[in-house]
Amino acid sequence: MNEEKLINKQLIRNMIYNLIAFTAIFTAFGVIIYNQVRISVYSDAESELLRYQNTSANLISSDDETETTQSTVAPNPTLPFPSQIGRIIVSPKVTYLLRDKDGNVLNATSVGRIYNEYLSNLSFDKNNIGQIYDIKVSGKYTFKGITFKSVDSNNQTEYIQLLINVDSETAILNNLLKILIIGTTCAITFAIIASYILSRESLVPVVKAWKKQTEFTQNASHEIRTPLTVMQLKQEQLLKNPNSTILEKVDDINLTLDEIGRLTKLTTDLMTLARADANMQEIKKEKIDIDSLIQEVAKPYVELAELQNKKIIFKLNYKKEIMIDANKMHQLMVILLDNSIKYTGEGDSIEVVTYAKDNHCMIEVKDTGIGISEEGRKHVFDRFYRDDKARSRESGGTGLGLAIAHWIVSVHGGSIKALKNEPKGTIMLVKLK
């Protein structure tokens, strides 16, 4: 229960982290898009205002030079500049207001209905000289504006305020903003789902490793506790009879030694798997004649099989060298042959076959023994798994041999399967690259 709580907490934590990351990415992406579009949409309007400002300034400058050179001409009491800038402003979107030094509009009549209905209450700020600014008219119309100074024929300071309507551009940006908000909301919703899925998937190997480690610890504790308990009981019995001779207690001593041997083998297997899990096992591959290696490994088992009225048959037809770790392959064959000897009875046979198939080295160890159940064949390479626990314990099995065999084949880039042998028994099929 505590494990599930910890896993769920980690799942929620990972999901939150992923969600924050996704949200930050989508939000940043939306802000970048909006700003880039905003700059692009308003660039034409702002360029047009600046162009009119520069054109007007050049015109004023040329008029001032003309008045200086023609000193005999009487000063014109009217303001020629409004008519001049009127000739410059050719876009219907641009409106100009001519203001005196106090900010009062001087050309309201020429602006006409637009001024009376919309621009009469327009605020004016003398501090925005030469800068493009946004201004709202009647609370719903949006303009871009720029203001610059001018001097009339009487050397009186005037202000020219250029305004360009950007309602269409603003509408585009507002629609884009709505789309981005909706899109980001949908993206974040999907991100929540994706974060949960990714977090759950990322925890799958962790959960598997955790459960595997827990099962491994529990099984190892159980396997170690059993021989220790037997040894303790036998030693306590010996203490109760201190005057007994070795001959009288030979069975108890033999049982204790058997359990010590079993415990030693178990410890060795556990160390092998622990080092394998930590990638501390070195693999030294070299070219080896696999047929000769198998023949050499099987020699003691041939004699053992004969003593138990069993038979080992060899059909070694690979007849090529292969890049393998000789020590690990020796260990693999010992495990397979040892299992075959243990789980076959008198009169049964064991067949060791090698052959080439699709550029792979195939090794088969077939026996006519008790076999493995269909369910057992699915789990036979799991650590501490025993199809028949009672018989495995009687034979000294720990349930780790085939797990080690699976690891040896895996580090060689191959595969191992447990198949049913007809009419009875098991086939251990090994495929090496």
Side-chain angles (χ1 to χ4, degrees):
M1 190 67 181
N2 290 332
E3 292 179 3
E4 291 183 3
K5 287 183 178 179
L6 288 173
I7 291 171
N8 289 333
K9 283 183 180 179
Q10 188 62 43
L11 175 63
I12 294 172
R13 189 180 294 113
N14 289 352
M15 187 177 73
I16 292 173
Y17 290 154
N18 288 332
L19 179 59
I20 291 173
F22 279 126
T23 302
I25 291 171
F26 291 138
T27 303
F29 188 64
V31 170
I32 291 172
I33 290 177
Y34 181 80
N35 285 333
Q36 291 299 316
V37 173
R38 183 179 181 280
I39 293 171
S40 176
V41 165
Y42 285 136
S43 62
D44 289 342
E46 293 177 354
S47 297
E48 193 167 1
L49 288 177
L50 293 174
R51 179 169 61 83
Y52 286 139
Q53 180 194 27
N54 294 334
T55 304
S56 302
N58 292 334
L59 180 61
I60 294 169
S61 176
S62 62
D63 287 346
D64 289 344
E65 291 177 0
T66 302
E67 289 178 1
T68 302
T69 54
Q70 298 177 352
S71 56
T72 56
V73 180
N76 190 348
T78 62
L79 296 177
F81 191 75
S83 59
Q84 293 170 343
I85 194 171
R87 292 196 305 270
I88 299 171
I89 307 298
V90 294
S91 173
K93 293 178 66 177
V94 179
T95 302
Y96 73 93
L97 298 177
L98 184 65
R99 297 178 181 273
D100 60 20
K101 63 180 181 179
D102 297 321
N104 299 315
V105 176
L106 303 177
N107 63 328
T109 302
S110 61
V111 175
R113 185 177 64 84
I114 296 177
Y115 176 78
N116 294 328
E117 294 183 9
Y118 303 108
L119 305 180
S120 57
N121 295 322
L122 191 66
S123 61
F124 179 67
D125 187 358
K126 297 179 183 180
N127 296 322
N128 284 335
I129 303 300
Q131 299 177 357
I132 294 177
Y133 50 85
D134 296 322
I135 193 166
K136 204 79 172 175
V137 176
S138 299
K140 59 181 179 177
Y141 301 106
T142 306
F143 286 79
K144 288 278 185 181
I146 190 170
T147 303
F148 56 96
K149 286 183 179 181
S150 176
V151 179
D152 64 11
S153 56
N154 296 320
N155 291 325
Q156 296 295 318
T157 299
E158 294 177 343
Y159 297 96
I160 299 174
Q161 185 178 20
L162 298 179
L163 301 172
I164 185 169
N165 184 270
V166 290
D167 283 338
S168 59
E169 290 85 347
T170 303
I172 291 173
L173 284 177
N174 289 337
N175 289 333
L176 175 63
L177 185 60
K178 291 178 182 178
I179 292 172
L180 288 176
I181 291 174
I182 294 172
T184 302
T185 303
C186 293
I188 291 174
T189 302
F190 288 127
I192 294 173
I193 300 172
S195 298
Y196 175 76
I197 295 173
L198 290 175
S199 299
R200 188 180 61 185
E201 291 300 316
S202 66
L203 283 176
V204 167
V206 177
V207 173
K208 285 184 177 178
W210 192 337
K211 289 182 178 179
K212 193 173 181 181
Q213 186 67 33
T214 302
E215 291 174 1
F216 183 81
T217 303
Q218 292 173 347
N219 289 328
S221 301
H222 176 74
E223 293 294 334
I224 292 172
R225 185 171 60 248
T226 301
L228 288 176
T229 302
V230 173
M231 290 162 57
Q232 182 180 358
L233 289 173
K234 293 302 177 183
Q235 296 307 305
E236 287 176 352
Q237 288 178 4
L238 289 175
L239 288 174
K240 290 178 181 179
N241 301 282
N243 296 324
S244 300
T245 63
I246 294 176
L247 185 60
E248 292 174 339
K249 297 295 181 180
V250 67
D251 291 338
D252 291 340
I253 295 172
N254 283 334
L255 183 58
T256 301
L257 290 174
D258 288 341
E259 292 299 327
I260 290 174
R262 185 168 175 272
L263 188 59
T264 301
K265 185 179 183 304
L266 175 62
T267 304
T268 302
D269 289 346
L270 288 173
M271 286 296 295
T272 299
L273 290 172
R275 290 174 66 86
D277 289 341
N279 294 321
M280 294 173 64
Q281 290 278 13
E282 293 184 3
I283 302 297
K284 297 179 181 179
K285 291 185 179 182
E286 55 184 324
K287 283 192 174 182
I288 299 292
D289 186 332
I290 190 69
D291 292 344
S292 299
L293 176 65
I294 292 175
Q295 194 87 45
E296 187 68 26
V297 175
K299 279 182 181 179
Y301 290 97
V302 172
E303 297 175 1
L304 180 61
E306 290 176 351
L307 291 172
Q308 298 179 8
N309 195 24
K310 302 173 186 178
K311 182 169 56 175
I312 296 182
I313 304 168
F314 295 97
K315 295 181 180 179
L316 307 176
N317 299 310
Y318 187 69
K319 301 185 184 306
K320 289 189 293 185
E321 291 185 336
I322 183 174
M323 290 293 294
I324 55 174
D325 185 313
N327 292 328
K328 295 294 184 293
M329 198 55 56
H330 183 284
Q331 187 178 8
L332 170 68
M333 294 309 303
V334 165
I335 292 170
L336 297 182
L337 289 169
D338 188 61
N339 278 355
S340 295
I341 293 289
K342 285 178 181 177
Y343 301 113
T344 50
E346 289 188 15
D348 285 329
S349 63
I350 299 164
E351 190 174 338
V352 182
V353 183
T354 63
Y355 56 92
K357 181 180 179 182
D358 300 329
N359 295 322
H360 294 288
C361 174
M362 311 297 292
I363 304 172
E364 293 183 6
V365 178
K366 307 178 182 179
D367 65 59
T368 57
I370 61 174
I372 306 173
S373 67
E374 184 177 352
E375 182 66 21
R377 288 195 294 273
K378 298 177 183 178
H379 304 284
V380 72
F381 298 106
D382 294 346
R383 297 176 185 185
F384 294 107
Y385 180 81
R386 290 188 290 254
D387 195 41
D388 188 336
K389 293 180 173 58
R391 294 198 61 173
S392 295
R393 188 172 296 280
E394 289 174 6
S395 62
T398 62
L400 294 177
L402 289 178
I404 294 174
H406 184 272
W407 168 76
I408 292 172
V409 175
S410 297
V411 295
H412 280 84
S415 63
I416 182 171
K417 296 179 180 178
L419 306 174
K420 184 178 181 181
N421 191 19
E422 296 294 346
K424 66 171 186 173
T426 303
I427 301 174
M428 286 296 172
L429 176 62
V430 176
K431 181 169 72 173
L432 299 175
K433 289 186 177 180

